[in-house]
Amino acid sequence: MKRSAAEIIREYGPFEGVEAVHGVTYDGSHVWFASGDKLNAVDPDSGKVARSIDVAAHAGTAFDGRHLFQIAEDRIQKIDAASGKVLSTIPAPGGGGDSGLAWAEGSLWVGEYRERRIHQVDPESGKVLRTIESKRFVTGVTWVDGELWHGTWENEESDIRRIDPATGKVLEQLDLPAGTGVSGLESDGGDRFFCGGGTNGNVRAVRRPRRG
Amino acid sequence: MESLITAAARALEAGDPLGALNRVALRNDAPSLALRGIAMAQLGDLAKAKSLLRNAARAFGPREAVARARCVVAQAEIALVSRDLSWPDRTLAAARTTLEKHGDLANAAHARHIAARRLLLLGHIEEAESMLAGPGRFPLPPASQVVRELVLAGIAIRRLRSEDARAALARAARAARQAGIPALAAEVEGASRVLDTPTARLITRGEERPLLLAEVEQLATSEVLVVDTFHHSVRRRGTVVPLGTRPVLFALVRILAQAWPADVSRQTLIAGAFHARHLDESHRARLRVEIGRLRTKLKPLADVNATKQGFALAPRRTRDILVLARPVDEKHANVLALLSDGEPWSSSALALALGTSPRTVQRALDELARSNKVQCFGHGRARRWMTPPVPGFPTGLLLPTPLLKT
């Protein structure tokens, strides 16, 4: 396993009226984050909130190209990104113990925080297709270039780690500075991760290690 | 972090404990237990809240130190509000250190306030003050600010510094408006009334009148000789003769001061100071001895002159003597003063706060109960005592909602 210190490229926020960040996703131009009763779209260049949707947003956030998915209480809401309307909901696999959310390969991937596992879920029915065990409390989840990454937050320590989707084995680990939380994680498809700072209400950009 | 926990915590912060319970009522994981405990505390079921928080602290793994420490702080606050003063303060101090170390300064400050309120209640004013002065000055959330200012006001009132108390209460009122919590604003208002209600009685030349805190304070700089029944001392300006450990001497000087400038007969002195009904030669001998002792003690402030029928006080360098007494001169006034905060107390907590034995307190409570001045409920160790709050007595400080974020 490769282990290194996470390189924080940039910090966004604090944002007005935002106490904590619960989920993070990226739609190709804006970073979306969940702040309890709102989804907020941040321009990653200016760092300003461009737009907000009033919707219950208590944990993970994901984007499938057209829709935003957002965990609220014990369900996953499918939201039209253009209108902000909730189109449908499915039950969340952790029954409310859910934290991170990602969209990849036609499935939703849901982190179940204290159970230390990640579920692959059918986005139409909510059916659990398979479950990957992790070693630590799971917060945000993301897929990039066929790599499964997730954030951890346990014992006031956080890291971002790549795990083997088949075995759950940790392949690579980026440690965040002590006292820094990771809530919500999303790759921009390039060399950046966006992650929520949890109760400090910030969003951070962290460099993704280069391959090769 | 977890969806439903976030939703429940948000409901709790918005003052909706039932909404919080709806979300986590059936869950038994550690964060749910903690949230349920706080919701129950807000709803007033302190017994249930206590056991839920205890279970939550246990259920958080040993590595979840911060979450655990927050549960301990909430437990300590519930203990304080239920006047369970024997709750281990070392456990609270350890939790505070953990929170400080992990940067949870808001909850660390909250823990500090709880400790200070407990010390204030026990009468350890100096320690309460240094507890508040502890490190980590940073902008507190408004609700926390209110508590801090109320404790400062409590300290100032007990030190008879009415201006400081007024200033602290004004800051508390401002912060309470900012916090937007009506119960907090009401608490501040209640505490402010103390300053405009007589806190003492002044007895001089056989006459009595009520005194405000500010007037009591002025006595400290005036030229009069004060016989202070609050502190069991005799003083004029900076010169203080403490008689706290000499009850007989204090009783004598008080009787003499109340009669001044007239003298007091031996018979009255013996009856008042020795609680003796019939006089005999041994009482007269004892009175002579005690007056001798009093003379020695009072030397810097006054003389005790023998008269034809008894004794009279002769103050030095002042032409006035007065007695500062409690608003209601009552047997067991100290017990009643504590109970008048309207909270249920255990007899052991009263004993701890008064620094006397549980037996003594029990006797006082039984006596007060017979005259319907106090009431009790519960049995055995769970028995609690209270009185309906008497207007004008300082109310207890405050139960804020625990600032617990999961």
Side-chain angles (χ1 to χ4, degrees):
Chain A
M1 184 197 61
K2 281 194 278 184
R3 187 168 179 177
S4 54
E7 186 192 336
I8 296 172
I9 308 165
R10 184 166 173 187
E11 288 218 27
Y12 301 97
F15 305 101
E16 207 192 312
V18 173
E19 275 183 28
V21 171
H22 304 295
V24 175
T25 193
Y26 183 65
D27 67 5
S29 64
H30 287 90
V31 180
W32 289 84
F33 72 89
S35 62
D37 52 8
K38 271 191 176 69
L39 264 171
N40 313 280
V42 176
D43 178 348
D45 295 324
S46 71
K48 291 228 159 67
V49 173
R51 192 185 149 204
S52 288
I53 299 174
D54 287 327
V55 65
H58 302 131
T61 315
F63 183 69
D64 71 354
R66 262 187 68 202
H67 308 102
L68 290 160
F69 291 88
Q70 176 59 53
I71 304 178
E73 307 210 1
D74 56 356
R75 31 177 227 281
I76 303 173
Q77 313 169 99
K78 183 178 180 180
I79 301 157
D80 184 89
S83 70
K85 276 213 176 78
V86 176
L87 303 175
S88 63
T89 61
I90 53 172
D98 312 84
S99 55
L101 188 64
W103 192 92
E105 315 293 327
S107 291
L108 284 169
W109 303 76
V110 188
E112 195 178 353
Y113 183 66
R114 300 185 75 82
E115 298 302 318
R116 302 183 172 94
R117 56 193 186 182
I118 298 167
H119 304 283
Q120 181 185 3
V121 173
D122 182 313
E124 293 305 315
S125 66
K127 193 175 162 234
V128 177
L129 304 175
R130 71 161 159 147
T131 296
I132 302 163
E133 303 286 338
S134 173
K135 296 278 181 291
R136 298 261 275 164
F137 287 176
V138 176
T139 57
V141 181
T142 192
W143 279 89
V144 55
D145 297 339
E147 299 172 351
L148 176 58
W149 289 80
H150 77 80
T152 75
W153 190 353
E154 192 170 341
N155 186 31
E156 309 304 310
E157 285 169 5
S158 274
D159 58 62
I160 300 169
R161 52 180 62 188
R162 175 159 69 94
I163 62 171
D164 184 329
T167 63
K169 192 175 170 246
V170 183
L171 304 174
E172 192 167 356
Q173 182 175 328
L174 312 175
D175 293 316
L176 276 104
T180 313
V182 171
S183 57
L185 179 71
E186 187 71 280
S187 147
D188 69 347
D191 62 356
R192 275 185 302 182
F193 287 121
F194 293 113
C195 52
T199 44
N200 91 342
N202 283 3
V203 173
R204 298 191 177 86
V206 171
R207 190 176 308 283
R208 177 161 75 106
R210 267 170 227 279
R211 291 284 148 259
Chain B
M1 286 180 260
E2 291 177 83
S3 185
L4 217 45
I5 297 296
T6 305
R10 289 179 61 88
L12 207 50
E13 267 173 40
D16 176 16
L18 291 172
L21 282 176
N22 271 343
R23 291 170 170 94
V24 293
L26 298 175
R27 294 177 37 156
N28 285 313
D29 53 296
S32 298
L33 288 171
L35 284 168
R36 283 167 59 193
I38 291 170
M40 291 317 286
Q42 286 188 358
L43 292 171
D45 188 343
L46 298 186
K48 184 86 195 147
K50 230 158 52 180
S51 81
L52 282 164
L53 284 161
R54 199 169 43 236
N55 292 342
R58 215 176 291 143
F60 279 116
R63 305 183 58 192
E64 294 176 86
V66 171
R68 212 170 231 215
R70 288 171 186 163
C71 289
V72 169
V73 172
Q75 280 172 277
E77 180 160 29
I78 290 170
L80 174 71
V81 169
S82 18
R83 297 296 181 256
D84 172 9
L85 301 182
S86 60
W87 206 82
D89 48 350
R90 256 184 307 173
T91 316
L92 179 60
R96 200 185 70 223
T97 311
T98 303
L99 293 169
E100 266 162 15
K101 214 166 63 197
H102 285 92
D104 186 353
L105 299 183
N107 280 316
H110 192 57
R112 216 170 256 289
H113 295 162
I114 293 166
R117 285 163 64 198
R118 179 177 178 277
L119 289 167
L120 188 58
L121 211 54
L122 289 172
H124 305 319
I125 297 167
E126 309 269 302
E127 289 169 56
E129 195 168 40
S130 58
M131 178 60 72
L132 283 187
R137 301 297 302 275
F138 72 104
L140 288 171
S144 216
Q145 188 102 39
V146 178
V147 180
R148 184 188 158 80
E149 297 297 350
L150 279 173
V151 181
L152 285 173
I155 292 171
I157 287 171
R158 279 156 188 75
R159 285 220 171 114
L160 298 178
R161 290 193 190 141
S162 57
E163 279 317 301
D164 291 356
R166 224 173 267 283
L169 286 168
R171 290 193 300 268
R174 240 185 346 260
R177 270 196 301 277
Q178 223 179 326
I181 303 172
L184 272 180
E187 181 67 34
V188 176
E189 213 181 285
S192 306
R193 268 201 296 279
V194 171
L195 295 178
D196 304 317
T197 315
T199 53
R201 211 155 38 106
L202 185 143
I203 309 167
T204 183
R205 295 171 199 259
E207 286 185 13
E208 290 189 20
R209 72 178 180 87
L211 275 193
L212 294 177
L213 186 71
E215 296 175 292
V216 174
E217 191 182 359
Q218 281 161 15
L219 292 180
T221 52
S222 80
E223 281 292 341
V224 293
L225 184 73
V226 180
V227 176
D228 184 342
T229 71
F230 288 82
H231 300 95
H232 285 247
S233 64
V234 182
R235 61 185 159 87
R236 186 175 62 82
R237 285 200 162 169
T239 315
V240 181
V241 174
L243 292 172
T245 56
R246 312 294 294 269
V248 170
L249 296 191
F250 186 75
L252 286 173
V253 74
R254 179 176 177 177
I255 298 166
L256 289 169
Q258 276 181 216
W260 183 86
D263 63 344
V264 183
S265 73
R266 285 182 181 79
Q267 186 166 354
T268 310
L269 285 169
I270 288 168
F274 306 157
H275 304 293
R277 278 197 206 134
H278 308 289
L279 292 191
D280 59 32
E281 240 350 273
S282 73
H283 284 128
R284 286 173 182 277
R286 188 175 163 206
L287 182 64
R288 263 196 307 278
V289 173
E290 299 289 6
I291 289 286
R293 286 177 179 151
L294 185 62
R295 239 182 224 135
T296 315
K297 285 268 180 197
L298 289 186
K299 196 144 252 166
L301 295 173
D303 201 2
V304 187
N305 294 333
T307 62
K308 211 166 177 186
Q309 55 153 347
F311 295 94
L313 274 183
R316 298 186 208 284
R317 277 186 253 154
T318 176
R319 275 173 296 161
D320 220 349
I321 296 182
L322 55 86
V323 176
L324 190 62
R326 294 182 186 279
V328 187
D329 230 356
E330 185 135 36
K331 215 178 157 194
H332 312 307
N334 47 0
V335 174
L336 283 173
L338 288 173
L339 287 174
S340 66
D341 68 357
E343 291 293 338
W345 287 72
S346 69
S347 58
S348 55
L350 286 168
L352 206 57
L354 293 169
T356 58
S357 79
R359 284 284 307 151
T360 308
V361 168
Q362 198 55 55
R363 267 198 298 273
L365 286 170
D366 289 341
E367 214 171 292
L368 288 166
R370 272 197 296 277
S371 49
N372 289 326
K373 284 174 182 149
V374 300
Q375 48 194 353
C376 68
F377 53 89
H379 293 282
R381 284 167 54 86
R383 174 162 284 183
R384 294 292 179 269
W385 297 84
M386 62 191 298
T387 83
V390 182
F393 274 100
T395 62
L397 296 172
L398 177 88
L399 168 66
T401 58
L403 302 160
L404 193 130
K405 264 186 208 160
T406 316

